[in-house]
Amino acid sequence: MSTQHTLTTREDRAQARRRRTRRHIAIAGTSTVVVLGGLAARIVTARGWPSVRRTFFSAHRFSQAFGGILSGFWLDVRLFLIVEVCVLALALLIALIRTFDIPALFPLKLLCIVFVDVMRGIPTILLVYLVGFSVPALNLKGLPNNEVVLGGAALAMCYSAYVSEVFRAGLMSIHPSQGAAALALGLSPAQALRAVIVPQAVRRVAPPLLNDFIALQKDVALVSILGPQEAFRVAQIFQDQYFNFTPLLGAAALYLCVTIPMTRFVDHLQARTLRARGPSFALGPR
Amino acid sequence: MSGLGPVIPGAPAGAPVLEIRGVTKSYGDQDVLKGINLTVGEHEAVALIGASGSGKSTLLRCIDLLEEIGDGDIFLDGEPITVPGLNPVPIRRKLGLVFQSFNLFPHMRVIDNVVLGAVRGQKVPAAEAREAGLKLLARFGLESRARDYPDRLSGGQQQRVAIARAMLTRPRALLLDEVTSALDPELVGEVLELIRELKLEGMTMILATHEMSFARDVADQVCFLEDGRIVEQGPPEQILSAPREAATQRFLSRLIDANRL
């Protein structure tokens, strides 16, 4: 520290910044260790801890159940992927029918409005139960009676309703001048939709779309009420048998392994959209 | 000018490229066009001047069949194009429209913007369209930006891309809707220069503009619009220097006051 009026150099400022950064890291690190370590110590030394550990974190029960849960989870993943593809296609179709007025499709538009209202208004679990048990009870030829297929169909119906609203918001956010420019180039309305409007709309709603994917990935477990041996169902059977909750935590961990990376991916995507296109793109074209 | 496929056959000798007869247009109970008559001959450039809201843009949109007209007729090469029930898509392919706000497609690269109309609309093979597009971009001084997304370009470059996009399929007429109004002043020149070149090559055009000196320079005819009507029409020297109508005089003196003339 000089008392003379020497000018602060760039190097001085850089050094000060580095010192400050180091200090901040040290403080954050220490306080984290103290708080989290204290909390852990408190929990582990609590009187009920051994019983908690036996019930929720039993290594024995875990290794016993894990193989079954994992193969159950594989069913979840496959079901999720297939349902997701159906949802994307159906939802986009509903959104297009609802957004654009085509006289011939008017009855379809009415049906879509009713469909979305009803599907969004029914608890998902009720819908899965209803479809899963009522369709086989009809005893009709040609209708599937596999509980995985029926549960998947119920989920697809429910999520198409939600996702169609996401698509619709995206379609309506594209400025009409984009459509006008496409028409002026000699594209037909259908070509303008395909080449210009839908691609921009889908890009714009990618983050909320992925949010709905994450919700669907979890709700796949609802199919278990129909009987299929998916991860939650398998874990529950073990829990019933041994009165030990470790398998359920194992199943939960598997779900997290998929949903947390997906969540981070959504965040990343959102940040990238903002960075790449600037705030004006987030608010609309022009 | 590099182009694609066969040139759209011109009009029978002497017939105007565009003929607008008694065209009206209203939005609800607001009459925007109140009977427009205008003839645009081959290689001719017509400038539409007038205050904002006088109907210049609406007229261009009506000609490109983006708006349905209320009454009257529009003829392209002698053929009526405003007959109810006529499919507007093939007609729009014969006209090029450039917008004030560019309206490039932000999710497509510059070159894909330029070839979209040819590839999707007119089914030109992609490679052929691409070659023609690159040639045109090179001519407009934009070949290095072909693979960029439009938002990486300056306003002047974006508008030149928009003009290239409208020109690729060799329209019979180019409709320019205040193409420099959204540009920073220092970028206006490059766009006007390009339009001047197109005019010299014989492109038929209608341009709505606030640039009076440009209208004087490029246009063969100037139309002054007020309140949905063509109030005065004639060669630029006459309309811009010695207008007969009081409304035209008022409009021009306001521009002089605002240092725009």
Side-chain angles (χ1 to χ4, degrees):
Chain A
M1 297 291 135
S2 147
T3 50
Q4 290 164 326
H5 286 289
T6 51
L7 294 171
T8 317
T9 65
R10 181 189 288 267
E11 183 51 33
D12 290 337
R13 292 185 196 283
Q15 241 169 29
R17 265 199 300 277
R18 279 196 296 272
R19 271 201 304 276
R20 196 173 55 212
T21 309
R22 274 200 297 272
R23 199 166 60 237
H24 286 180
I25 292 173
I27 292 172
T30 316
S31 69
T32 306
V33 169
V34 169
V35 171
L36 296 190
L39 205 59
R42 181 75 191 79
I43 289 170
V44 175
T45 56
R47 206 152 11 109
W49 172 245
S51 119
V52 168
R53 204 179 59 180
R54 256 198 321 280
T55 319
F56 291 99
F57 303 104
S58 155
H60 170 60
R61 296 286 175 226
F62 181 79
S63 59
Q64 190 183 22
F66 191 69
I69 296 172
L70 194 63
S71 65
F73 191 66
W74 176 229
L75 174 64
D76 282 319
V77 171
R78 278 177 302 168
L79 186 58
F80 162 69
L81 290 174
I82 293 167
V83 171
E84 186 57 54
V85 172
C86 300
V87 165
L88 284 174
L90 189 59
L92 185 58
L93 191 70
I94 293 173
L96 287 170
I97 291 172
R98 286 194 68 179
T99 309
F100 299 99
D101 284 312
I102 304 160
L105 295 184
F106 184 73
L108 216 51
K109 184 172 177 166
L110 273 184
L111 275 178
C112 285
I113 294 172
V114 172
F115 177 84
V116 171
D117 282 356
V118 170
M119 290 304 152
R120 287 201 305 175
I122 298 177
T124 315
I125 190 161
L126 196 157
L127 193 67
V128 171
Y129 193 92
L130 190 67
V131 173
F133 286 121
S134 69
V135 172
L138 291 175
N139 248 333
L140 287 175
K141 272 216 173 87
L143 281 178
N145 57 8
N146 176 307
E147 60 274 15
V148 176
V149 172
L150 290 172
L155 285 173
M157 282 153 71
C158 171
Y159 273 82
S160 296
Y162 279 103
V163 172
S164 77
E165 289 295 281
V166 173
F167 276 136
R168 204 156 70 95
L171 288 169
M172 290 197 295
S173 78
I174 303 302
H175 198 275
S177 64
Q178 287 285 310
L183 293 181
L185 282 176
L187 269 59
S188 69
Q191 289 170 331
L193 260 185
R194 246 198 82 192
V196 174
I197 296 174
V198 170
Q200 289 188 65
V202 170
R203 252 162 255 227
R204 200 168 291 181
V205 297
L209 215 54
L210 277 163
N211 253 333
D212 282 342
F213 286 15
I214 294 168
L216 174 62
Q217 159 63 23
K218 294 182 299 175
D219 274 358
V220 164
L222 290 174
V223 173
S224 66
I225 61 167
L226 304 178
Q229 305 263 319
E230 56 75 60
F232 169 55
R233 184 84 186 140
V234 174
Q236 201 192 5
I237 290 167
F238 270 100
Q239 175 246 311
D240 265 357
Q241 228 164 1
Y242 302 103
F243 196 69
N244 187 291
F245 289 89
T246 308
L248 283 173
L249 280 191
L254 282 177
Y255 278 102
L256 288 177
C257 284
V258 173
T259 50
I260 288 182
M262 270 167 82
T263 319
R264 287 280 114 12
F265 181 62
V266 175
D267 291 348
H268 165 75
L269 216 63
Q270 225 150 8
R272 204 187 55 176
T273 312
L274 283 178
R275 255 202 323 274
R277 300 295 180 188
S280 64
F281 186 78
L283 295 175
R286 293 216 285 171
Chain B
M1 162 117 287
S2 63
L4 282 165
V7 180
I8 296 161
V17 177
L18 275 168
E19 195 179 346
I20 296 149
R21 278 194 213 151
V23 164
T24 67
K25 169 74 193 170
S26 43
Y27 296 107
D29 53 4
Q30 193 196 352
D31 297 329
V32 186
L33 299 178
K34 300 176 181 170
I36 299 280
N37 292 293
L38 180 64
T39 303
V40 186
E42 186 88 57
H43 309 312
E44 201 181 10
V46 174
L48 307 175
I49 63 169
S52 303
S54 58
K56 307 186 296 288
S57 297
T58 306
L59 178 57
L60 293 180
R61 293 175 64 89
C62 285
I63 297 171
D64 205 28
L65 307 182
L66 292 176
E67 306 279 353
E68 212 173 314
I69 61 174
D71 202 2
D73 293 289
I74 301 177
F75 299 85
L76 176 63
D77 288 327
E79 300 284 332
I81 58 173
T82 45
V83 181
L86 206 58
N87 181 9
V89 174
I91 297 161
R92 290 196 195 110
R93 289 179 190 152
K94 299 185 195 172
L95 294 165
L97 176 59
V98 183
F99 300 84
Q100 181 177 349
S101 49
F102 329 138
N103 297 357
L104 294 178
F105 306 127
H107 62 300
M108 292 182 183
R109 295 176 196 280
V110 163
I111 181 68
D112 298 321
N113 264 277
V114 171
V115 300
L116 182 70
V119 174
R120 289 289 172 103
Q122 315 204 3
K123 308 289 175 214
V124 175
E128 192 183 322
R130 199 182 158 76
E131 199 190 319
L134 287 173
K135 234 186 243 172
L136 194 57
L137 283 173
R139 237 207 69 189
F140 287 11
L142 291 163
E143 68 267 56
S144 61
R145 313 312 301 264
R147 293 193 51 77
D148 281 329
Y149 284 95
D151 59 359
R152 298 281 163 204
L153 273 58
S154 75
Q157 290 172 327
Q158 289 192 42
Q159 194 59 296
R160 283 187 285 149
V161 171
I163 295 172
R165 184 172 74 170
M167 286 293 299
L168 186 71
T169 49
R170 294 186 160 201
R172 286 291 291 136
L174 198 56
L175 311 171
L176 303 163
D177 186 6
E178 296 189 28
V179 292
T180 59
S181 298
L183 295 177
D184 290 334
E186 78 273 17
L187 302 176
V188 169
E190 61 188 75
V191 173
L192 294 186
E193 189 48 46
L194 183 58
I195 297 168
R196 194 172 285 133
E197 271 178 43
L198 295 176
K199 161 66 180 156
L200 287 176
E201 280 167 17
M203 190 71 217
T204 306
M205 52 178 81
I206 304 182
L207 40 118
T209 185
H210 287 298
E211 303 280 338
M212 294 307 141
S213 58
F214 181 66
R216 187 194 302 267
D217 210 24
V218 166
D220 304 296
Q221 262 192 88
V222 175
C223 299
F224 171 66
L225 271 79
E226 190 179 64
D227 198 21
R229 286 193 183 84
I230 295 182
V231 174
E232 194 169 358
Q233 179 175 358
E237 315 78 66
Q238 185 218 314
I239 303 294
L240 296 174
S241 306
R244 295 199 193 101
E245 298 291 330
T248 319
Q249 288 163 5
R250 273 199 306 276
F251 174 71
L252 292 173
S253 69
R254 274 204 303 275
L255 285 186
I256 292 168
D257 291 344
N259 256 330
R260 293 287 300 269
L261 194 68

